[in-house]
Amino acid sequence: MTGSADRRVHLAVYDSLADWETGHTTAYLARAGYEVVTVGPGREPVTSIGGLRILPDLALDELRPEDSSLLILPGADLWSAGDCLAPLARAARAFLDAGVPVAAICGATAGLAREGLLDDRAHTSASPFYLAQAPGYAGGDRYVEADAVTDGGLITAGPTEPVAFAREVFRLLGVYEGEVLDAWYRLYHDSDAEAYFVLQQAGGR
């Protein structure tokens, strides 16, 4: 890998990952000069829901929080198919314990719920009912009805909010701020044409 840890983010990849949920996030992080490194359960190729074949850059046992500025966990059918992705949830715990942020969307929030990482943090997901089905989840009173939620170093979002998910990542990492961040969100979430010109002037697109 090249680059320093503060300009490197790790995207977890695994079979059945939801291609669309992290596309805005990774594309604009790369545009902002971040190195996006994929990490799989192993180094074997994985296949997304959309049929994309991805060869991970790293295996999970090679991942270290100190080498990263963020761990991104996309949704996937596998999050609801037993405990095969539980090691990724444990990696999220290691990142948060080390003070390195984690961003989880859709099914990945259920994985974090099973790991106990949502019990004491404000969070969101597909719905309170969805998370209530996660064994051991005790964070119902911390659930927030919002498009995306950031609590300390943890970002969560539901499956219909990839743009809000990206917005929270950009805010947390300082990629875009203030008027530029608001304009980026309005352009890609609301199709606000005026926001395009704000971004053009600020060099944020």
Side-chain angles (χ1 to χ4, degrees):
M1 291 186 296
T2 61
S4 62
D6 63 352
R7 301 297 289 179
R8 185 185 304 128
V9 300
H10 287 86
L11 171 67
V13 296
Y14 22 76
D15 286 333
S16 77
L17 73 90
D19 315 58
W20 63 91
E21 291 179 344
T22 59
H24 290 85
T25 302
T26 55
Y28 280 86
L29 286 175
R31 277 190 153 187
Y34 281 81
E35 178 187 7
V36 180
V37 180
T38 55
V39 54
R43 282 185 174 255
E44 300 78 14
V46 301
T47 304
S48 75
I49 288 177
L52 297 181
R53 191 169 182 268
I54 304 166
L55 183 64
D57 298 311
L58 293 177
L60 182 58
D61 61 8
E62 300 174 273
L63 178 65
R64 302 187 307 170
E66 59 265 33
D67 294 332
S68 186
S69 61
L70 175 72
L71 174 62
I72 303 170
L73 300 174
D77 292 342
L78 285 182
W79 285 112
S80 301
D83 294 327
C84 59
L85 294 184
L88 272 300
R90 291 194 289 273
R93 178 179 291 281
F95 266 63
L96 292 170
D97 287 348
V100 182
V102 172
I105 185 169
C106 189
T109 62
L112 299 191
R114 288 192 292 272
E115 182 65 20
L117 294 174
L118 305 185
D119 293 349
D120 301 312
R121 295 176 172 91
H123 60 275
T124 194
S125 183
S127 71
F129 175 74
Y130 173 68
L131 286 188
Q133 299 176 80
Y137 172 62
D141 60 342
R142 303 301 305 275
Y143 189 92
V144 180
E145 291 285 359
D147 54 12
V149 172
T150 300
D151 186 339
L154 179 64
I155 295 168
T156 51
T160 61
E161 299 295 343
V163 179
F165 181 70
R167 178 197 64 205
E168 294 304 297
V169 169
F170 301 157
R171 192 199 318 271
L172 187 65
L173 296 181
V175 174
Y176 301 137
E177 298 176 319
E179 182 183 37
V180 175
L181 180 63
D182 177 66
W184 185 92
Y185 180 75
R186 287 189 289 111
L187 177 61
Y188 289 101
H189 189 268
D190 303 325
S191 300
D192 184 342
E194 291 185 6
Y196 173 82
F197 297 103
V198 175
L199 289 176
Q200 285 289 90
Q201 293 172 356
R205 185 178 187 277

